[in-house]
């Protein structure tokens, strides 16, 4: 009787170096659906990372939670794989903290993965992602039944306890901050303010007795490239005053204590020389001191900040116009600028929304993508007047006003500011439109007159793609005889496109019945519109309305 012989699997024959490299690829290769892998259309919002959920963007910048657990999986297969995994420091450089870490065995202590990964990563750069959000959060700011949201289906209030508390944030940062010089990206996401406030206090480096810091304090953080601070509760930003009231001030500043150390030296090197991305969503800082953190853009075309996002700030904690101008003035190499339900405080409103601040504009000559989510028309228009960004390829305009108002803002000044250079302080007097190279535009719930839309479209000579989201298309006569690809989201459009009158908002209305089909060249069909020319020319050759 023949005896079965054991054959060593091929993967067990791989050299350790090759197996280690496979592990590293498994952990650090981007997701298969990442636009950077699949490729995004030139000039589109995907190319600049401006589509999708903000929290997902933060996770993609600092590594995903799923890839952060793979090293433990590799190390648990067998003894050989464990030896190879433990001998590969690159595997352990992504540190992800979630509320799931609080549900593990208490004998292992708090955040055991952090305690394992830090020593195993050696001296490699670290990518840290702290997600303190609870999917079952009830939008309360404390664990008191009196502050809990009460459903009308229940007679009594219910008790809710958030699993991730301020002391947990303190504990995990107490483990991480002694290694701050190795951190390459840091993203902190919370739903409540208390954990974020604790994070800001720890990151200030001003109280060495409260948290563990490296000794001596470093004069600079040479590896930090990405800083994301997000309080993921956009609803509180719609109130004129910050909530909770105790969190309004005094405002914090990350690394303020390190700035003091650096400024005591004679050379005064930049504190964050490699900082490239900053996202502040629902988190306000000491705005007047933020420029001290940012690296200079004067060294080269690729130096300084590349992406800046300010979003969801209550009006009373937004920067002043002078403070925001000070921030943008040191970010002249920005590629992506996002202002959504934020911007500067609108304290000095003139009598007319069309009046222009005569202050010298800020040149953002390398800006490729601009997203403005306005909740105040005048502030949005004056913000546009404060920057010069003629090289912009992609523009997003969105009505970001409170959803409970039931009405959209009248955005004519916004569109006219984008259309007419002579209305802007950033005009060079040559008569050129403000955005001569913009190839793609996204409009979300923008309410304006047909004349304003026409002026806007006519001032975009390079426009090739127009996305219309949750609104009707107005001013379409300005798109006639132009090869512009139209995208409707949701992918339904009215059977008749109006070029005048108010915009009917809400895609639940019965007019949203005709479909948009992406057809090949020459496959368009006519449609009933009140354009002055047949619809195929009005919409370009890549779309048709059936």
């Amino acid at each position: 009787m023949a005896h079965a012989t054991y054959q060593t699997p091929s993967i067990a024959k791989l050299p350790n170096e090759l197996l280690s490299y496979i592990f590293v690829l498994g952990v650090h290769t981007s997701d298969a659906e990442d636009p950077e892998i699949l490729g995004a259309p030139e000039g589109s919002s995907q190319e600049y990372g401006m589509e999708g959920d903000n929290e997902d963007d933060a996770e993609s910048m600092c590594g995903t939670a799923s890839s952060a657990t793979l090293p433990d999986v590799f190390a648990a297969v067998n003894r050989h794989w464990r030896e190879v995994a433990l001998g590969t420091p690159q595997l352990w450089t992504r540190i992800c903290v979630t509320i799931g870490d609080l549900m593990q065995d208490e004998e292992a202590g708090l955040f055991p993965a952090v305690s394992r990964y830090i020593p195993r990563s050696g001296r490699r750069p670290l990518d840290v992602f702290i997600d303190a959000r609870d999917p079952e959060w009830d939008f309360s700011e404390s664990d008191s039944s009196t502050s809990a949201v009460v459903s009308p289906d229940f007679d009594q209030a219910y008790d809710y306890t958030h699993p991730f508390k301020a002391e947990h944030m303190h504990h995990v940062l107490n483990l991480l901050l002694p290694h701050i010089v190795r951190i390459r990206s840091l993203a902190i996401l919370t739903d409540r303010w208390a954990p974020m406030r604790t994070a800001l206090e720890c990151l200030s480096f001003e109280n060495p007795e409260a948290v563990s810091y490296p000794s001596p304090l470093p004069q600079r953080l040479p590896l930090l490239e990405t800083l994301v601070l997000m309080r993921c509760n956009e609803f509180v930003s719609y109130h004129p005053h910050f909530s909770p009231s105790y969190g309004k001030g005094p405002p914090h500043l990350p690394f303020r204590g390190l700035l003091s150390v650096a400024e005591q030296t004679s050379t005064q090197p930049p504190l964050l020389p490699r900082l490239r991305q900053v996202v502040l969503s629902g988190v306000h800082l000491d705005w007047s001191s933020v420029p001290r953190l940012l690296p200079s853009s004067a060294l080269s075309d690729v130096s300084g900040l590349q992406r800046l996002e300010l979003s969801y700030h209550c009006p009373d904690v937004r920067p002043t116009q002078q403070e925001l101008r000070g921030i943008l003035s040191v970010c002249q190499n920005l590629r992506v600028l996002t202002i959504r339900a934020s911007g500067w405080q609108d304290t000095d409103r003139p009598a007319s929304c069309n009046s222009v601040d005569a202050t010298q504009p800020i040149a953002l000559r390398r800006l490729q993508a601009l997203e403005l989510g306005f909740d105040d028309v005048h502030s949005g228009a004056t913000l546009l007047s404060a920057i010069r960004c003629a090289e912009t390829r992609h523009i997003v305009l969105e009505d970001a006003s409170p959803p409970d108002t039931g009405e959209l803002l009248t955005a004519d000044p916004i569109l006219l500011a984008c259309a007419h250079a002579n209305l802007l302080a950033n005009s060079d007097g040559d008569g050129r439109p403000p955005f001569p190279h913009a190839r793609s535009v996204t409009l979300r719930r923008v309410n304006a007159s047909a004349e304003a839309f026409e002026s806007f479209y006519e001032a975009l000579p390079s426009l090739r793609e127009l996305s219309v989201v949750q609104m009707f298309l107005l001013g379409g006569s300005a798109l006639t005889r132009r090869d512009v690809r139209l995208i409707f989201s949701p992918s339904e459009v009215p059977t008749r496109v109006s070029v005048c009158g108010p915009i009917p908002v809400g895609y639940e209305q019965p007019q949203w019945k005709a479909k948009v089909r992406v057809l090949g060249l020459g496959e368009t069909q006519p449609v009933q519109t009140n354009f002055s020319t047949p619809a195929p020319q009005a919409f370009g050759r890549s779309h048709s309305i059936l």
Side-chain angles (χ1 to χ4, degrees), residues 40 54 63 76 106 119 167 191 245 248 270 277 352 364 428-429 502 509:
N54 285 19
E106 295 182 359
E167 51 264 32
D191 36 33
S245 57
K248 178 180 178 180
Q277 302 186 81
S352 172
L364 303 177
D428 292 324
Q509 301 184 31

Side-chain angles (χ1 to χ4, degrees), residues 52-124:
D53 190 84
N54 285 19
E55 292 85 352
D56 294 339
D57 291 342
E59 189 172 354
S60 65
M61 283 189 280
C62 300
T64 62
S66 58
S67 64
T69 60
L70 279 178
D72 285 326
V73 175
F74 293 149
V77 172
N78 56 45
R79 181 180 301 175
H80 178 217
W81 279 32
R82 180 174 180 81
E83 292 176 353
V84 173
L86 294 180
T88 308
Q90 301 97 309
L91 283 183
W92 310 94
T93 58
R94 283 187 173 177
I95 298 177
C96 181
V97 176
T98 68
I99 61 172
D101 296 299
L102 302 173
M103 303 175 184
Q104 299 182 6
D105 188 0
E106 295 182 359
E107 296 181 359
L110 288 175
F111 310 111
V114 178
S115 301
R116 291 196 310 272
Y117 279 43
I118 289 178
R120 293 178 182 179
S121 63
R123 298 184 177 180
R124 299 282 179 170

Side-chain angles (χ1 to χ4, degrees), residues 141 190-198 200 231 242-244 246-248 252 282-284:
E141 284 294 331
T190 70
D191 36 33
R192 287 182 169 177
W193 177 251
M196 180 58 70
R197 181 187 184 186
T198 298
L200 293 172
R231 179 196 184 188
F242 185 82
S243 177
Y246 68 81
K248 178 180 178 180
H252 298 86
V283 177
H284 59 284

Side-chain angles (χ1 to χ4, degrees), residues 32-285:
E33 297 182 358
D34 194 315
E36 294 181 359
I37 296 178
L38 296 179
E42 180 182 359
S44 67
S45 56
Q46 293 91 340
E47 180 184 3
Y48 303 109
M50 297 180 68
E51 292 290 340
D53 190 84
N54 285 19
E55 292 85 352
D56 294 339
D57 291 342
E59 189 172 354
S60 65
M61 283 189 280
C62 300
T64 62
S66 58
S67 64
T69 60
L70 279 178
D72 285 326
V73 175
F74 293 149
V77 172
N78 56 45
R79 181 180 301 175
H80 178 217
W81 279 32
R82 180 174 180 81
E83 292 176 353
V84 173
L86 294 180
T88 308
Q90 301 97 309
L91 283 183
W92 310 94
T93 58
R94 283 187 173 177
I95 298 177
C96 181
V97 176
T98 68
I99 61 172
D101 296 299
L102 302 173
M103 303 175 184
Q104 299 182 6
D105 188 0
E106 295 182 359
E107 296 181 359
L110 288 175
F111 310 111
V114 178
S115 301
R116 291 196 310 272
Y117 279 43
I118 289 178
R120 293 178 182 179
S121 63
R123 298 184 177 180
R124 299 282 179 170
L126 299 174
D127 298 308
V128 178
F129 181 75
I130 302 175
D131 188 351
R133 298 171 298 169
D134 179 15
E136 299 181 359
W137 177 51
D138 65 354
F139 289 89
S140 63
E141 284 294 331
S142 63
D143 290 337
S144 170
S145 60
T146 57
S147 65
V149 175
V150 182
S151 170
D153 298 329
F154 294 91
D155 295 332
Q156 297 179 353
Y158 61 92
D159 292 329
Y160 169 79
T161 300
H162 200 292
F164 203 109
K165 305 182 184 302
E167 51 264 32
H168 294 132
M169 183 67 71
H170 180 273
H171 186 92
V172 69
L173 290 177
N174 200 49
L175 297 174
L176 290 167
L177 290 185
H179 309 275
I180 186 65
V181 293
R182 289 205 288 136
I183 293 181
R184 176 172 52 196
S185 61
L186 175 62
I188 301 177
L189 281 64
T190 70
D191 36 33
R192 287 182 169 177
W193 177 251
M196 180 58 70
R197 181 187 184 186
T198 298
L200 293 172
E201 291 172 349
C202 293
L203 290 174
S204 69
F205 283 80
E206 292 184 293
N207 190 359
E209 298 180 356
V211 66
S212 297
Y213 294 137
S215 182
L217 289 177
Q219 297 183 9
R220 56 189 238 153
L221 305 180
L223 299 182
L224 188 63
E225 298 178 357
T226 299
L227 178 63
V228 178
L229 301 174
M230 301 181 68
R231 179 196 184 188
C232 304
N233 181 5
E234 64 185 66
F235 298 105
V236 297
S237 67
Y238 296 128
H239 194 274
H241 303 293
F242 185 82
S243 177
S245 57
Y246 68 81
K248 178 180 178 180
H252 298 86
L253 182 70
F255 319 121
R256 190 194 300 271
L258 303 185
L259 277 173
S260 302
V261 173
E263 291 172 352
Q264 292 174 2
T265 64
S266 57
T267 57
Q268 293 188 9
L271 177 63
L272 308 173
R274 298 184 62 178
L275 188 64
R276 295 296 178 265
Q277 302 186 81
V278 172
V279 176
L280 300 173
S281 181
V283 177
H284 59 284
L285 302 180

